[in-house]
Amino acid sequence: MSITAEALETAAPPVTAITTRAAVCRGPGEPWEVTELELDPPGPNEIRVKVIAAGMCHSDDHIQKGDAPMRMPVVGGHEGAGIVDAVGPGVTRAKLGDHVVFSFIPACGKCRYCSTGHQNLCDAGKNAATGEFPDGTFRFHKDGEDFGGLCVLGTFSQYTVVSEYSVVPIPDDIPFEVACLVGCAVPTGWGTAVHAAGVRAGETVVIYGAGGVGSNAVQGASLAGAQRVVVVDPVEFKRTMALEHFGATHAFATAEEAHAFIVDATWGELADHAIITVSALHDEVIHNAINIVGKCGQVTITAVGNGWIEENPGMLIGFQRRIQGAIFGGCNPLFDVPRLLSMYKNGHLKLDELVTNTYRLETVNEGYQDMLDGKNIRGVVLLEH
Ligand SMILES: NC(=O)c1ccc[n+]([C@@H]2O[C@H](COP(=O)([O-])OP(=O)(O)OC[C@H]3O[C@@H](n4cnc5c(N)ncnc54)[C@H](O)[C@@H]3O)[C@@H](O)[C@H]2O)c1
Ligand SMILES: [Zn+2]
Ligand SMILES: [Zn+2]
């Protein structure tokens, strides 16, 4: 069969491997290092994205510090937004030129969990700690070495190749630097309050830690109609932002001050919810959270770290308290990401206020130091092209 000149003109050019600059971590405790990597073309059901903005979540810092184990070397970043740059065979979720947000847990839409309203628990998310694709291969390479992507994403890179299950298309008019946060911080925080805790109108909620995730738990609790949204954070800037922008009604520097306030304000009934979104989970904050909720109260844990639940079960039995873990805020990314962006466009959800400072790949280490120094609600890396 002969190929016509017209068919040749309209045929898509072959997608080849490219090079990309990325911030990588080579081992626990090693700083982020900017290097050039080879990036494979997208395979079947894979998408290459030109990353425009990437959020700096505390979880990447846990992995870089070695608090949370992950196969190394790894390209950092699991919050991101960009433009579809190439598609592999069989892709249906997005097309060339689409704007997308990465979902830090993929959503296949078909597994038991996706099909029962728990996309945050999708079976396709099982490789988050290795960064490898389901067939055991990697897309980033350098000098014969394979580099994983954090959450099989790696958004601290000019370009990345991901499963189509890991993207959610978004409208073109959403700024990338806020869109990127709707891949983790925003749904994780908002969903921790709204889905995992299930905050309801009139309730009293105490949120420990008002950073990138916690600020959105504050917004979620407030939008759910809580009468008291009480923040505990040692950093004055975080408390001020929570009170002035995100809907907190009260803010305290210490758990003791918050406890005294809750006892007094609730006439001794205590809080309905405690939400833990501190930098690193620890025993004391779990203990404080259990003690600040009253009868039928719930403690919802989203922070990760080395904290242990060391409590007499009587503390749970007597007041019928519950402890609930949450990943991705119990969200369904294919539903929640567009909904949260719609709420942003309608002025209900504050996203611009979350972005405190922007960085380049070369300043990722400074950005994480700023986060640890309490300077940022969220730092965002703007990728240069
Ligand atoms: N479960 C999930 O799906 C999920 C997703 C994203 C992030 N996380 C985890 O959530 C946590 C928060 O992430 P982030 O990006 O918002 O971090 P962040 O550094 O932006 O915010 C943490 C906040 O906690 C405050 N803090 C520290 N110690 C505290 C204490 N003892 N009491 C009260 N506040 C305290 C800090 O001042 C800061 O404002 C991290 O552990 C992160 O790894 C979990
Ligand atoms: Zn995250
Ligand atoms: Zn699934």
Side-chain angles (χ1 to χ4, degrees):
M1 194 179 78
S2 66
I3 299 171
T4 63
E6 192 185 23
L8 268 178
E9 259 176 37
T10 53
V15 181
T16 54
I18 58 171
T19 58
T20 183
R21 285 174 59 253
V24 306
C25 182
R26 291 183 179 276
E30 298 289 323
W32 297 104
E33 170 198 326
V34 179
T35 190
E36 197 151 278
L37 301 174
E38 301 145 32
L39 180 62
D40 293 338
N45 304 104
E46 294 172 11
I47 294 180
R48 187 170 73 205
V49 179
K50 178 180 182 177
V51 184
I52 308 295
M56 301 175 73
C57 181
H58 206 117
S59 298
D60 299 67
D61 189 67
H62 284 314
I63 283 162
Q64 181 265 326
K65 297 279 190 305
D67 305 340
M70 175 155 189
R71 179 199 173 277
M72 302 272 181
V74 66
V75 177
H78 64 279
E79 284 181 354
I83 303 168
V84 176
D85 176 66
V87 292
V91 167
T92 56
R93 188 169 294 178
K95 60 183 189 311
L96 211 59
D98 278 355
H99 292 199
V100 293
V101 165
F102 295 101
S103 174
F104 84 87
I105 294 171
C108 78
K110 293 175 281 207
C111 71
R112 167 182 164 178
Y113 302 96
C114 281
S115 52
T116 52
H118 302 290
Q119 288 174 0
N120 62 318
L121 300 174
C122 176
D123 281 340
K126 61 179 186 289
N127 288 348
T130 60
E132 67 186 15
F133 279 69
D135 62 0
T137 60
F138 295 85
R139 300 294 168 269
F140 293 110
H141 317 276
K142 188 183 178 78
D143 303 329
E145 190 176 17
D146 294 325
F147 285 63
L150 217 142
C151 293
V152 208
L153 296 175
T155 60
F156 296 167
S157 176
Q158 293 171 302
Y159 293 88
T160 183
V161 168
V162 301
S163 161
E164 65 174 321
Y165 299 154
S166 299
V167 303
V168 182
I170 61 165
D172 287 356
D173 60 348
I174 308 284
F176 288 108
E177 60 270 30
V178 297
C180 67
L181 305 185
V182 186
C184 177
V186 179
T188 298
W190 190 85
T192 297
V194 173
H195 296 309
V199 172
R200 302 185 64 170
E203 291 190 327
T204 294
V205 184
V206 182
I207 295 164
Y208 296 87
V213 174
S215 298
N216 292 294
V218 172
Q219 298 206 74
S222 175
L223 285 161
Q227 66 162 306
R228 298 186 191 92
V229 181
V230 180
V231 159
V232 182
D233 199 299
V235 178
E236 189 181 358
F237 166 61
K238 310 293 179 95
R239 300 197 300 273
T240 305
M241 290 297 286
L243 290 166
E244 290 184 0
H245 297 289
F246 302 128
T249 56
H250 304 80
F252 300 96
T254 66
E256 292 70 28
E257 290 169 88
H259 192 97
F261 167 77
I262 289 292
V263 170
D264 189 43
T266 64
W267 304 321
E269 288 187 347
L270 303 176
D272 300 293
H273 289 279
I275 286 172
I276 306 181
T277 46
V278 294
S279 321
L281 189 63
H282 52 92
D283 301 3
E284 193 188 335
V285 72
I286 300 172
H287 173 80
N288 290 337
I290 292 172
N291 280 277
I292 213 164
V293 298
K295 293 175 183 171
C296 295
Q298 179 170 322
V299 175
T300 307
I301 305 179
T302 279
V304 298
N306 295 317
W308 288 88
I309 302 169
E310 289 185 346
E311 215 68 40
N312 184 321
M315 284 298 292
L316 305 180
I317 296 164
F319 275 16
Q320 208 163 293
R321 293 167 162 123
R322 283 187 304 271
I323 301 177
Q324 170 80 50
I327 182 136
F328 212 163
C331 283
N332 288 287
L334 292 172
F335 164 63
D336 281 299
V337 169
R339 180 165 71 157
L340 291 165
L341 289 173
S342 168
M343 290 169 68
Y344 163 68
K345 288 214 67 176
N346 291 328
H348 293 295
L349 196 68
K350 306 268 187 75
L351 299 186
D352 297 305
E353 292 78 356
L354 297 170
V355 182
T356 317
N357 282 300
T358 60
Y359 301 87
R360 295 176 298 116
L361 280 180
E362 285 72 14
T363 54
V364 165
N365 290 301
E366 288 164 39
Y368 272 112
Q369 194 54 52
D370 286 349
M371 179 192 79
L372 296 171
D373 291 343
K375 293 181 183 164
N376 290 344
I377 300 294
R378 226 358 153 232
V380 168
V381 182
L382 299 179
L383 282 302
E384 293 168 308
H385 290 276

